Amino acid sequence: MAKSPRTQSLPVKAPRFDEQERLVLPGSEKSPAPNAVHVKATPAKSMVTVSVIVKRREPLKLNRRGGRASGPVRVSRTEFQKRHGGDPEAIKQVKAFAREFNLKVEADPTSALRRTVQLTGTAADIQKAFGVVLEQKTIDGVQYRVREGGIHLPASLAGMVEAVLGLDNRPQARPHFRVHQPRAHAAAPNSYTPPQVAEAYNFPAKASGAGQTIGIIELGGGYRQADLTAYFKTLGLAAPTITAVSVNKGKNKPSTPSSADGEVMLDVEVAASVAPGAKVAVYFTPNTDQGFLDAITTAVHDAANKPSVISISWGGPESSWTAQSMTAMDEACQSAAALGITITVAAGDDGSTDGGTGNNVDFPASSPHVLACGGTKLDANGATIVSEVVWNELANNEGATGGGVSNVFDLPSWQTKAHVPAATTSTGGRGVPDVAGDADPTTGYTIRVDGQTMVIGGTSAVAPLWAGLVAVANQQLGTQVGLIQPAIYAAKAASAFNDITQGNNGAFSAASGWDACSGLGSPIAGKLIPLLAPASASAKAAAKPLAKAGKKTAKKSGR
């Protein structure tokens, strides 16, 4: 018999968010800023925009070998949008949370794809919503908005929200380029143009990367079209088709040669000259963990430019990141791999310490879903390599390649036979770098920056070099190669590398095979490219250049 209206059970209304128990968002704990000087509380009426990262609708499926992750199973963009974007209920709850705390939900058609809901409100409302205290502090003479400790969310959002970024806007990363500084009584640098380096590494002479777009992430600086036109004219090449994409109000803002312009011009001029048929999209974003992540997710899901490879030359020691930031960024790189997009990342320019205490590796280079790029000192004559050793000019204050073992990310399946040294923590194990290329400023790249010609090195040059190689490979193979580590760590790929066996980066020395300063070595591109075709690629898949590839989760970190 049907119940009477009086006896029917009514749905239980969830308590208001401000009435719920508050829980610390795992991995959100942020250490005090070193050498910071308190100025004042952040003005209550100042506006703050944060990026709230929600869980996936469905986890990406992982390839596994020997019980270890070997990258994600590739999916089409349609399938990704249907299954692997942001969880609809999580997005709904975040929007309800925003309404209760007077926060505006920023309009973004890619929000669900990027699993990112941006919320804007006054500092007073933001602090109440996220259970934090915001202060203004000066660091190295510049004032920033800073938070310390954990982020506290209502209990009903636990498990739905994976990260909240943007509360703190102190700089997160640094560029990994080194301008050659002439020394008294030192020989003139034996510099090269990027195409000369490509010739030494056996890039196919007639391949251009046509039909591909190379994405480049920049956390500052800018380029001038007049410089690009003049530079490429000296190479006998047409200036590249380049698009500047603004992320979180980041802009193409060229200034002086001593600024981050050196990074931007190095990245663009190297990538576009070794793959002269490819287009270039530069994603400008603020230098914060929020800006960095939003730039990566914007590039990965950019339906207009559709980069098939993304180059990143910025980073910082793993210990300088919060665990939530590393998890969110690694998952973004995993999404790229799932979609067949390769990400190349500079491994750092400060040797095995990465500028810190003890041994450290640089992030995002330590993510197992990116190709970590280390540095060498190259002596080449045309297509002949006379010698190549590990880049280490620490004695002359001109840096050394980064490299070592992650304290955060597990050893991937494709490195199990690489003899990676043991991690110093139970949670780590991923070896860095994967590959190498010319990076020593004394054998660096001739680059034009803000009207000046200079020689620049650093692993910042190696990431765009490898990005150009991937663009060429994608063109030649007729498909996107995606996450290439399972292919390049295979035994048959050894002959496709110049094995670097001399030199060190401080704690780690070069040796036969993989090592923690030069990875597998520098490329012999003509031999390497045929090995990069995805194992699942068929004639049908090859006809569809954009359809596949990635994931991994960071554990605990310091900041």
Side-chain angles (χ1 to χ4, degrees):
M1 187 171 81
K3 294 182 180 179
S4 68
R6 290 185 179 181
T7 60
Q8 284 182 340
S9 60
L10 298 175
V12 177
K13 186 177 181 181
R16 288 170 52 89
F17 290 104
D18 66 357
E19 297 172 349
Q20 296 178 25
E21 178 188 5
R22 291 279 174 147
L23 302 176
V24 175
L25 176 61
S28 65
E29 297 87 351
K30 202 168 183 74
S31 301
N35 305 316
V37 178
H38 176 78
V39 177
K40 60 182 178 181
T42 298
K45 294 184 178 180
S46 61
M47 302 305 291
V48 178
T49 297
V50 300
S51 294
V52 180
I53 315 304
V54 301
K55 69 177 184 177
R56 294 191 195 276
R57 181 194 289 255
E58 295 179 19
L60 288 163
K61 294 181 180 179
L62 300 182
N63 291 304
R64 289 194 176 275
R65 298 178 183 177
R68 293 183 179 274
S70 184
V73 175
R74 288 201 185 193
V75 297
S76 68
R77 286 187 177 269
T78 300
E79 184 178 356
F80 187 99
Q81 183 172 7
K82 181 180 179 180
R83 298 181 181 276
H84 305 300
D87 179 76
E89 180 60 24
I91 293 173
K92 177 182 176 181
Q93 289 300 315
V94 169
K95 289 181 177 180
F97 166 79
R99 286 193 296 271
E100 186 172 316
F101 287 95
N102 305 312
L103 307 180
K104 175 187 175 184
V105 178
E106 299 292 345
D108 177 8
T110 67
S111 175
L113 265 179
R114 299 193 304 115
R115 300 165 48 222
T116 302
V117 183
Q118 287 201 323
L119 306 178
T120 299
T122 65
D125 286 333
I126 286 284
Q127 289 177 98
K128 185 178 180 181
F130 294 101
V132 297
V133 174
L134 302 180
E135 300 176 295
Q136 302 301 119
K137 294 187 177 183
T138 57
I139 303 172
D140 297 329
V142 180
Q143 187 176 133
Y144 298 102
R145 184 178 65 247
V146 172
R147 75 164 179 91
E148 297 172 3
I151 295 169
H152 300 79
L153 295 179
S156 64
L157 294 181
M160 291 188 177
V161 172
E162 295 189 352
V164 178
L165 307 180
L167 294 165
D168 188 306
N169 68 354
R170 70 183 98 164
Q172 179 61 65
R174 57 181 184 260
H176 294 316
F177 74 103
R178 296 275 181 151
V179 178
H180 176 66
Q181 303 297 332
R183 302 191 302 272
H185 310 300
N190 186 26
S191 62
Y192 308 94
T193 66
Q196 287 174 330
V197 176
E199 180 186 12
Y201 291 147
N202 194 226
F203 279 45
K206 295 183 179 180
S208 67
Q212 307 298 312
T213 297
I214 300 171
I216 298 174
I217 306 296
E218 298 293 0
L219 279 61
Y223 65 85
R224 290 183 171 89
Q225 188 60 49
D227 280 324
L228 293 175
T229 300
Y231 179 77
F232 281 85
K233 184 178 181 180
T234 66
L235 301 178
L237 298 170
T241 300
I242 185 167
T243 302
V245 180
S246 175
V247 179
N248 295 353
K249 300 181 181 180
K251 299 291 185 183
N252 173 27
K253 295 176 64 176
S255 54
T256 65
S258 60
S259 70
D261 291 3
E263 181 61 75
V264 176
M265 297 302 282
L266 176 68
D267 292 342
V268 173
E269 291 174 358
V270 170
S273 62
V274 301
K279 296 179 180 179
V280 176
V282 185
Y283 299 83
F284 288 101
T285 192
N287 185 3
T288 62
D289 55 2
Q290 176 190 30
F292 208 156
L293 174 65
D294 287 344
I296 293 174
T297 57
T298 296
V300 169
H301 299 290
D302 185 348
N305 296 294
K306 299 180 180 177
S308 60
V309 57
I310 298 169
S311 176
I312 299 175
S313 293
W314 299 70
E318 287 181 332
S319 59
S320 70
W321 296 78
T322 59
Q324 64 161 0
S325 298
M326 282 194 285
T327 297
M329 286 189 63
D330 177 61
E331 289 187 349
C333 295
Q334 185 186 52
S335 294
L339 292 166
I341 300 169
T342 309
I343 300 181
T344 61
V345 183
D349 293 357
D350 292 287
S352 58
T353 68
D354 203 33
T357 302
N359 293 330
N360 301 276
V361 292
D362 211 73
F363 182 81
S366 63
S367 162
H369 298 106
V370 308
L371 185 73
C373 302
T376 67
K377 181 175 186 175
L378 175 70
D379 181 3
N381 183 6
T384 302
I385 294 179
V386 179
S387 71
E388 190 169 19
V389 300
V390 174
W391 164 41
N392 187 338
E393 298 285 351
L394 290 173
N396 298 317
N397 198 32
E398 287 199 309
T401 183
V405 183
S406 172
N407 285 328
V408 177
F409 297 99
D410 292 337
L411 182 75
S413 65
W414 28 266
Q415 281 191 327
T416 54
K417 296 182 180 180
H419 306 293
V420 177
T424 57
T425 66
S426 60
T427 56
R430 190 270 203 263
V432 178
D434 295 306
V435 296
D438 183 33
D440 193 318
T442 64
T443 62
Y445 300 71
T446 303
I447 298 296
R448 182 183 176 96
V449 184
D450 296 321
Q452 296 186 22
T453 298
M454 55 184 67
V455 176
I456 303 180
T459 54
S460 278
V462 189
L465 178 75
W466 272 88
L469 190 158
V470 169
V472 168
N474 289 343
Q475 177 206 5
Q476 284 209 322
L477 297 172
T479 188
Q480 292 182 202
V481 298
L483 186 73
I484 68 172
Q485 281 93 322
I488 65 176
Y489 278 88
K492 64 180 180 181
S495 62
F497 287 91
N498 301 301
D499 191 8
I500 312 302
T501 59
Q502 295 182 4
N504 66 78
N505 68 348
F508 302 99
S509 297
S512 296
W514 183 90
D515 56 66
C517 42
S518 64
L520 296 168
S522 61
I524 305 174
K527 293 182 179 180
L528 182 63
I529 289 174
L531 303 177
L532 300 183
S536 60
S538 63
K540 180 179 179 180
K544 296 181 179 181
L546 200 68
K548 316 176 184 185
K551 172 175 178 178
K552 170 80 178 153
T553 301
K555 298 177 184 173
K556 187 178 179 183
S557 174
R559 198 176 95 186

